[in-house]
Amino acid sequence: MSAVTPVVKPVSQMRLAPGSAVTIPNVSWQEFESILQELGEHRSARIAYSKGTLEIMVPLPEHEIPRDLLSDIVKTLLKAKGIKYQPFGSTTFKREGTAGIEPDACFYIQNYQRMIGRRRLQADDPPPDLAIETDVTSKTTLEAYRAIGVPEVWIYDSGRLTIYLLSQGIYVKSDTSAIFENIQLTQIIPALVERAWQVGNVQALEEFEAAIAQGREGTE
Protein backbone atom coordinates (compact mmCIF):
# COMPACT_ATOMS: atom_id res chain seq x y z
CA MET A 1 0.00 0.00 0.00
CA SER A 2 1.44 3.32 -1.02
CA ALA A 3 1.87 6.05 1.54
CA VAL A 4 -0.64 8.91 1.52
CA THR A 5 1.00 12.27 1.08
CA PRO A 6 -0.98 15.13 2.68
CA VAL A 7 -1.88 17.98 0.37
CA VAL A 8 -0.84 21.33 1.83
CA LYS A 9 -2.36 24.48 0.39
CA PRO A 10 -2.45 28.04 1.76
CA VAL A 11 -5.71 28.84 3.53
CA SER A 12 -5.90 32.01 1.42
CA GLN A 13 -6.51 29.84 -1.64
CA MET A 14 -9.77 28.49 -0.21
CA ARG A 15 -12.80 29.73 -2.13
CA LEU A 16 -15.81 29.79 0.16
CA ALA A 17 -19.22 30.73 -1.20
CA PRO A 18 -21.13 33.49 0.61
CA GLY A 19 -23.04 32.04 3.53
CA SER A 20 -20.67 29.10 3.94
CA ALA A 21 -18.22 28.16 6.66
CA VAL A 22 -15.42 25.69 7.16
CA THR A 23 -14.24 24.22 10.46
CA ILE A 24 -10.61 23.19 10.91
CA PRO A 25 -9.78 21.14 14.03
CA ASN A 26 -6.44 20.72 15.80
CA VAL A 27 -5.08 24.17 14.95
CA SER A 28 -2.30 25.32 17.24
CA TRP A 29 -2.02 28.92 18.39
CA GLN A 30 1.03 29.42 16.20
CA GLU A 31 -0.87 28.04 13.20
CA PHE A 32 -3.81 30.31 13.98
CA GLU A 33 -1.54 33.35 14.07
CA SER A 34 0.03 32.31 10.76
CA ILE A 35 -3.39 31.84 9.15
CA LEU A 36 -4.50 35.30 10.33
CA GLN A 37 -1.39 36.81 8.79
CA GLU A 38 -1.92 34.89 5.58
CA LEU A 39 -5.55 35.94 5.27
CA GLY A 40 -4.69 39.59 5.87
CA GLU A 41 -6.97 42.32 7.14
CA HIS A 42 -8.87 43.23 3.96
CA ARG A 43 -11.13 40.24 3.46
CA SER A 44 -14.78 39.26 3.62
CA ALA A 45 -14.11 36.07 5.61
CA ARG A 46 -14.30 36.22 9.40
CA ILE A 47 -12.80 33.87 11.96
CA ALA A 48 -13.52 32.34 15.33
CA TYR A 49 -10.92 30.31 17.22
CA SER A 50 -11.25 28.47 20.50
CA LYS A 51 -9.79 25.30 22.04
CA GLY A 52 -7.84 24.43 18.91
CA THR A 53 -10.82 24.75 16.55
CA LEU A 54 -10.77 27.38 13.82
CA GLU A 55 -13.88 28.45 11.94
CA ILE A 56 -13.71 30.57 8.80
CA MET A 57 -17.04 32.09 7.73
CA VAL A 58 -18.09 34.14 4.71
CA PRO A 59 -21.27 36.18 5.36
CA LEU A 60 -24.10 36.50 2.87
CA PRO A 61 -24.57 39.90 1.18
CA GLU A 62 -27.84 40.41 3.09
CA HIS A 63 -25.82 40.09 6.29
CA GLU A 64 -24.81 43.75 5.86
CA ILE A 65 -28.27 45.24 6.50
CA PRO A 66 -28.85 43.83 10.01
CA ARG A 67 -25.15 44.25 10.89
CA ASP A 68 -25.12 47.96 10.11
CA LEU A 69 -28.58 48.54 11.57
CA LEU A 70 -27.79 46.87 14.91
CA SER A 71 -24.66 48.96 15.24
CA ASP A 72 -26.63 52.14 14.51
CA ILE A 73 -29.34 51.13 17.00
CA VAL A 74 -26.75 50.75 19.76
CA LYS A 75 -25.26 54.16 18.94
CA THR A 76 -28.71 55.73 18.97
CA LEU A 77 -29.61 54.20 22.35
CA LEU A 78 -26.29 55.14 23.94
CA LYS A 79 -26.66 58.70 22.72
CA ALA A 80 -30.24 58.87 24.02
CA LYS A 81 -29.06 57.68 27.44
CA GLY A 82 -26.15 60.12 27.45
CA ILE A 83 -23.60 57.31 27.62
CA LYS A 84 -20.23 57.91 26.02
CA TYR A 85 -18.65 55.08 24.05
CA GLN A 86 -16.00 54.12 21.54
CA PRO A 87 -16.98 51.78 18.70
CA PHE A 88 -14.34 49.32 17.55
CA GLY A 89 -15.75 47.68 14.43
CA SER A 90 -14.68 44.15 13.53
CA THR A 91 -11.23 44.12 15.08
CA THR A 92 -9.61 40.74 15.84
CA PHE A 93 -9.70 40.21 19.60
CA LYS A 94 -7.37 37.59 21.00
CA ARG A 95 -6.50 35.91 24.25
CA GLU A 96 -2.95 34.68 23.84
CA GLY A 97 -2.78 30.96 23.24
CA THR A 98 -6.51 30.42 23.75
CA ALA A 99 -9.02 32.25 21.59
CA GLY A 100 -9.57 34.73 18.78
CA ILE A 101 -12.74 36.35 17.46
CA GLU A 102 -13.86 39.05 15.03
CA PRO A 103 -17.25 40.59 15.93
CA ASP A 104 -19.41 42.35 13.38
CA ALA A 105 -19.37 45.34 15.69
CA CYS A 106 -18.34 46.05 19.26
CA PHE A 107 -18.43 48.90 21.75
CA TYR A 108 -16.29 50.07 24.62
CA ILE A 109 -18.29 51.85 27.31
CA GLN A 110 -16.57 51.42 30.69
CA ASN A 111 -13.13 51.85 29.14
CA TYR A 112 -14.06 54.07 26.20
CA GLN A 113 -11.55 56.80 27.09
CA ARG A 114 -8.71 54.32 27.17
CA MET A 115 -9.55 53.13 23.65
CA ILE A 116 -9.87 56.55 21.99
CA GLY A 117 -7.17 56.92 19.36
CA ARG A 118 -6.15 53.26 19.61
CA ARG A 119 -5.20 52.08 16.10
CA ARG A 120 -4.26 48.55 17.13
CA LEU A 121 -5.19 46.52 20.17
CA GLN A 122 -2.52 46.01 22.79
CA ALA A 123 -1.99 42.87 24.86
CA ASP A 124 -3.29 44.45 28.08
CA ASP A 125 -6.37 46.11 26.55
CA PRO A 126 -9.68 45.12 28.16
CA PRO A 127 -12.42 43.37 26.16
CA PRO A 128 -15.27 45.48 24.76
CA ASP A 129 -18.43 45.78 26.82
CA LEU A 130 -20.69 44.68 23.98
CA ALA A 131 -20.10 42.57 20.88
CA ILE A 132 -22.59 42.01 18.07
CA GLU A 133 -22.79 39.07 15.69
CA THR A 134 -25.25 38.45 12.86
CA ASP A 135 -26.02 35.13 11.15
CA VAL A 136 -23.91 33.14 13.62
CA THR A 137 -24.93 29.95 15.42
CA SER A 138 -21.46 28.63 16.21
CA LYS A 139 -20.52 27.21 19.60
CA THR A 140 -16.91 28.13 18.85
CA THR A 141 -17.91 31.79 18.57
CA LEU A 142 -19.45 31.92 22.07
CA GLU A 143 -16.53 29.96 23.53
CA ALA A 144 -14.12 32.51 22.07
CA TYR A 145 -16.08 35.44 23.53
CA ARG A 146 -16.18 33.69 26.91
CA ALA A 147 -12.43 33.14 26.88
CA ILE A 148 -11.83 36.79 26.02
CA GLY A 149 -14.30 37.91 28.69
CA VAL A 150 -16.80 40.05 26.75
CA PRO A 151 -19.57 40.86 29.27
CA GLU A 152 -22.44 41.00 26.75
CA VAL A 153 -22.91 39.45 23.31
CA TRP A 154 -25.84 39.94 20.94
CA ILE A 155 -26.43 37.37 18.23
CA TYR A 156 -28.97 38.17 15.55
CA ASP A 157 -29.81 35.12 13.46
CA SER A 158 -32.82 34.02 11.41
CA GLY A 159 -34.90 37.01 12.49
CA ARG A 160 -34.24 36.61 16.21
CA LEU A 161 -32.06 38.47 18.68
CA THR A 162 -30.46 36.47 21.50
CA ILE A 163 -28.72 38.31 24.32
CA TYR A 164 -25.96 36.55 26.25
CA LEU A 165 -24.65 37.91 29.55
CA LEU A 166 -21.42 36.62 31.05
CA SER A 167 -22.09 35.37 34.58
CA GLN A 168 -19.49 33.52 36.66
CA GLY A 169 -17.54 32.55 33.57
CA ILE A 170 -20.43 31.25 31.47
CA TYR A 171 -22.92 32.88 29.08
CA VAL A 172 -26.53 32.97 30.19
CA LYS A 173 -29.37 33.87 27.83
CA SER A 174 -31.22 36.97 28.96
CA ASP A 175 -34.46 38.67 27.93
CA THR A 176 -32.88 42.05 28.58
CA SER A 177 -29.56 43.80 28.06
CA ALA A 178 -27.40 44.79 31.05
CA ILE A 179 -26.64 48.04 29.22
CA PHE A 180 -30.24 48.86 28.19
CA GLU A 181 -32.12 47.19 31.02
CA ASN A 182 -35.62 48.55 30.44
CA ILE A 183 -35.79 48.27 26.66
CA GLN A 184 -37.38 45.26 25.00
CA LEU A 185 -34.60 44.74 22.47
CA THR A 186 -35.49 41.15 21.62
CA GLN A 187 -38.79 42.48 20.27
CA ILE A 188 -37.65 45.86 18.92
CA ILE A 189 -34.61 44.80 16.91
CA PRO A 190 -36.23 42.04 14.81
CA ALA A 191 -39.07 44.44 13.99
CA LEU A 192 -36.60 47.18 13.02
CA VAL A 193 -34.61 44.82 10.80
CA GLU A 194 -37.80 43.76 9.04
CA ARG A 195 -38.77 47.41 8.65
CA ALA A 196 -35.35 48.15 7.16
CA TRP A 197 -35.92 45.53 4.48
CA GLN A 198 -39.12 47.39 3.54
CA VAL A 199 -38.02 51.03 3.68
CA GLY A 200 -34.24 50.97 4.01
CA ASN A 201 -31.91 51.35 6.99
CA VAL A 202 -32.00 55.14 7.03
CA GLN A 203 -35.78 55.47 7.27
CA ALA A 204 -36.08 52.59 9.75
CA LEU A 205 -33.51 54.26 11.99
CA GLU A 206 -35.17 57.68 11.64
CA GLU A 207 -38.47 56.15 12.74
CA PHE A 208 -36.74 54.55 15.72
CA GLU A 209 -35.12 57.84 16.70
CA ALA A 210 -38.51 59.55 16.49
CA ALA A 211 -40.03 56.85 18.72
CA ILE A 212 -37.28 57.41 21.29
CA ALA A 213 -37.89 61.15 21.24
CA GLN A 214 -41.56 60.50 21.95
CA GLY A 215 -40.82 57.92 24.63
CA ARG A 216 -42.13 55.01 22.57
CA GLU A 217 -38.93 53.00 22.17
CA GLY A 218 -40.24 49.94 24.00
CA THR A 219 -39.33 50.69 27.59
CA GLU A 220 -41.21 48.75 30.19
Side-chain angles (χ1 to χ4, degrees):
M1 181 180 295
S2 60
V4 176
T5 303
V7 177
V8 180
K9 289 286 187 181
V11 171
S12 58
Q13 290 188 16
M14 295 173 61
R15 295 293 179 263
L16 298 178
S20 63
V22 62
T23 300
I24 307 173
N26 304 317
V27 177
S28 70
W29 182 257
Q30 292 73 21
E31 289 171 331
F32 169 62
E33 291 277 29
S34 296
I35 289 170
L36 275 181
Q37 186 174 5
E38 179 190 333
L39 291 173
E41 296 182 357
H42 304 290
R43 53 184 161 84
S44 58
R46 293 168 52 242
I47 60 90
Y49 176 83
S50 178
K51 298 181 179 178
T53 297
L54 172 64
E55 290 186 351
I56 303 175
M57 302 153 279
V58 178
L60 289 164
E62 55 262 35
H63 163 99
E64 305 299 324
I65 285 182
R67 182 199 68 179
D68 291 345
L69 186 61
L70 262 68
S71 181
D72 287 340
I73 289 170
V74 171
K75 294 173 185 177
T76 298
L77 288 171
L78 288 170
K79 183 178 179 180
K81 290 173 69 69
I83 299 174
K84 294 185 178 180
Y85 65 92
Q86 181 66 23
F88 233 74
S90 56
T91 303
T92 305
F93 291 89
K94 293 184 284 187
R95 181 177 180 184
E96 186 72 25
T98 304
I101 193 70
E102 294 171 345
D104 283 320
C106 64
F107 295 85
Y108 281 92
I109 299 171
Q110 297 295 328
N111 297 290
Y112 83 93
Q113 288 183 313
R114 177 174 175 177
M115 305 308 293
I116 291 174
R118 181 82 86 240
R119 297 181 183 273
R120 289 186 179 275
L121 289 173
Q122 299 178 8
D124 61 344
D125 282 336
D129 296 277
L130 171 65
I132 297 173
E133 293 273 2
T134 54
D135 298 327
V136 168
T137 57
S138 164
K139 182 180 178 182
T140 301
T141 295
L142 275 180
E143 287 179 343
Y145 279 120
R146 182 188 60 78
I148 292 166
V150 178
E152 184 166 340
V153 178
W154 296 1
I155 295 182
Y156 182 83
D157 184 67
S158 302
R160 295 182 60 186
L161 176 71
T162 305
I163 297 172
Y164 293 92
L165 302 180
L166 193 61
S167 176
Q168 298 181 344
I170 62 171
Y171 278 116
V172 178
K173 289 184 181 181
S174 175
D175 292 332
T176 58
S177 163
I179 302 169
F180 310 110
E181 294 180 344
N182 298 318
I183 302 178
Q184 301 167 359
L185 293 172
T186 55
Q187 299 176 30
I188 293 171
I189 285 178
L192 277 172
V193 172
E194 183 59 32
R195 182 63 175 162
W197 283 112
Q198 298 169 359
V199 301
N201 279 29
V202 173
Q203 183 172 329
L205 192 63
E206 287 176 346
E207 292 172 357
F208 180 57
E209 291 171 344
I212 289 176
Q214 297 173 21
R216 297 185 290 106
E217 76 280 12
T219 57
E220 296 179 339

